[in-house]
């Protein structure tokens, strides 16, 4: 067994920092769920791009209306939510499918649900929230068409993010409940401490020694997540 070297984020060599996580969908995620996990990963990337576009739109909002607080908050959301969303809800769902961890599934549902609600508020676009949503865009487009059109891009993107998050939340929950997952299993993992570093499915299947036969764990059959 070769040691797995962290490969994410893929930083250039001239940066004196090393990747913090190991991520390999083909090697670590069961083939039945690779498509779903990849789509959740792309959703995270799309959300980060949305925050970047929102920053540019908030700058146009500031120039058109003089409300600089939204631009400042847009910088904060970009710097804060881009890494935190990866750590707080993508890594839990990645580890959940990698090792069949009920605790990580529960962590994903809780944190991703909070992200989903926040994205809805960003899509709505309340003034002073640092997000260009429908309310702010419609109000400004009546006085400054150019800035309103620029703000329309992140408005639509936030809306698409919210819809994508809802779909992914339903898909993952259906898979988890279909495989017999429960809050009690998550509590048992918490009490035993196995949630801290759960072994991958590959490691579970290869956990044997000598001439004894491997003891394969009972892994729930989640079925086809896209049926």
């Amino acid at each position: 067994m070769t040691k797995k070297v962290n490969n994410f984020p893929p930083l250039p060599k001239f940066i004196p920092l090393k990747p913090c996580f190991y991520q390999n969908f083909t090697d670590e995620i069961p083939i039945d769920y690779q498509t779903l996990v990849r789509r959740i990963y792309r959703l995270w990337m799309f959300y980060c791009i949305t925050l970047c576009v929102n920053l540019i739109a908030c700058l146009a909002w500031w120039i058109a209306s003089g409300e600089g607080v939204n631009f400042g908050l847009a910088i904060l959301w970009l710097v804060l939510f881009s890494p935190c969303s990866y750590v707080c809800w993508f890594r839990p769902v990645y580890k959940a499918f990698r090792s069949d961890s009920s605790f990580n599934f529960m962590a994903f549902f809780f944190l991703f649900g909070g992200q989903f609600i926040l994205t809805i508020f960003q899509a709505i676009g309340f003034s002073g929230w640092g997000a260009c949503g429908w309310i702010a865009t419609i109000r400004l487009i009546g006085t400054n068409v150019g800035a309103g059109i620029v703000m329309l891009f992140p408005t639509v993107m936030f809306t698409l993010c919210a819809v994508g998050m809802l779909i992914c939340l339903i898909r993952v929950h259906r898979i988890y409940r279909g495989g017999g997952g429960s809050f009690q299993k998550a509590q048992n993992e918490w009490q035993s401490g196995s949630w801290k570093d759960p072994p991958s499915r590959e490691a579970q299947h290869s956990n044997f020694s000598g001439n004894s036969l491997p003891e394969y764990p009972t892994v729930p059959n989640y079925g086809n997540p896209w049926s």
Side-chain angles (χ1 to χ4, degrees), residues 2-226:
T2 58
K3 184 178 179 181
K4 296 179 179 179
V5 180
N6 292 341
N7 58 3
F8 188 88
L11 301 173
K13 293 183 178 180
F14 63 84
I15 297 180
L17 297 175
K18 295 183 179 180
C20 303
F21 306 97
Y22 178 79
Q23 179 174 292
N24 192 315
F25 299 101
T26 304
D27 291 346
E28 293 198 316
I29 306 299
I31 190 170
D32 291 338
Y33 317 119
Q34 287 180 11
T35 300
L36 176 58
V37 177
R38 288 179 187 273
R39 290 186 179 183
I40 298 175
Y41 174 69
R42 294 190 185 108
L43 179 61
W44 169 76
M45 295 181 63
F46 183 73
Y47 182 71
C48 294
I49 295 173
T50 301
L51 293 177
C52 294
V53 176
N54 178 67
L55 178 64
I56 299 174
C58 282
L59 177 60
W61 189 2
W62 183 14
I63 296 173
S65 65
E67 297 184 16
V69 63
N70 293 293
F71 179 70
L73 287 174
I75 297 176
L76 178 62
W77 301 152
L78 175 61
V79 174
L80 181 64
F81 286 139
S82 294
C84 288
S85 57
Y86 178 87
V87 175
C88 293
W89 55 260
F90 175 73
R91 286 301 297 182
V93 76
Y94 181 90
K95 292 188 290 185
F97 280 107
R98 184 190 66 183
S99 56
D100 184 31
S101 170
S102 290
F103 179 84
N104 282 294
F105 271 116
M106 287 296 175
F108 168 76
F109 292 140
F110 179 75
L111 297 170
F112 191 68
Q115 179 76 79
F116 168 64
I117 294 174
L118 176 62
T119 306
I120 291 177
F121 282 108
Q122 290 175 320
I124 293 174
F126 296 107
S127 181
W129 277 60
C132 297
W134 290 105
I135 294 177
T137 301
I138 293 173
R139 284 180 177 176
L140 189 64
I141 205 169
T143 57
N144 192 312
V145 178
I149 293 176
V150 174
M151 292 172 62
L152 187 61
F153 285 97
T155 299
V156 174
M157 294 174 73
F158 276 128
T159 304
L160 293 176
C161 282
V163 173
M165 288 177 180
L166 177 60
I167 294 174
C168 288
L169 194 61
I170 294 173
R171 295 286 188 183
V172 175
H173 184 265
R174 183 185 300 173
I175 293 170
Y176 178 64
R177 296 297 295 176
S182 65
F183 184 71
Q184 183 61 43
K185 292 179 64 177
Q187 284 184 318
N188 293 337
E189 289 186 14
W190 171 265
Q191 293 173 357
S192 64
S194 60
W195 63 274
K196 296 180 180 179
D197 189 22
S200 64
R201 296 171 190 254
E202 180 182 357
Q204 294 178 26
H205 282 271
S206 60
N207 185 22
F208 70 97
S209 59
N211 296 325
S212 61
L213 293 174
E215 297 182 0
Y216 293 93
T218 302
V219 180
N221 181 13
Y222 294 113
N224 185 356
W226 302 107

